[in-house]
Amino acid sequence: MYMSTDEVRNAFLKFFESKGHQIVDSSSLVPHDDPTLLFTNAGMNQLKTVSLA
């Protein structure tokens, strides 16, 4: 039996949630208020405000 992509994602999230991790909404790959791509290309756009503070 095969799992759909949604089932795989939900199983992944449930596993980490069962280990005490908090599930949060995904971040957009396209920054809404930042014209730079420096951190987006590195996959770190969520951490830019923390890293550059």
Side-chain angles (χ1 to χ4, degrees), residues 28-48:
S28 174
L29 291 177
V30 179
H32 298 288
D33 57 353
D34 186 351
T36 69
L37 294 177
L38 178 63
F39 286 94
T40 302
N41 286 341
M44 294 180 56
N45 51 319
Q46 306 94 318
L47 305 174
K48 184 172 181 180

Side-chain angles (χ1 to χ4, degrees), residues 14-41:
K14 284 182 184 180
F15 171 80
F16 283 100
E17 186 176 38
S18 75
K19 304 298 181 193
H21 295 274
Q22 179 181 3
I23 297 174
V24 296
D25 290 335
S26 299
S27 295
S28 174
L29 291 177
V30 179
H32 298 288
D33 57 353
D34 186 351
T36 69
L37 294 177
L38 178 63
F39 286 94
T40 302
N41 286 341

Side-chain angles (χ1 to χ4, degrees), residues 1-17:
M1 182 169 130
Y2 294 103
M3 295 174 72
S4 70
T5 53
D6 283 338
E7 291 171 326
V8 172
R9 183 178 191 279
N10 287 332
F12 179 84
L13 292 174
K14 284 182 184 180
F15 171 80
F16 283 100
E17 186 176 38

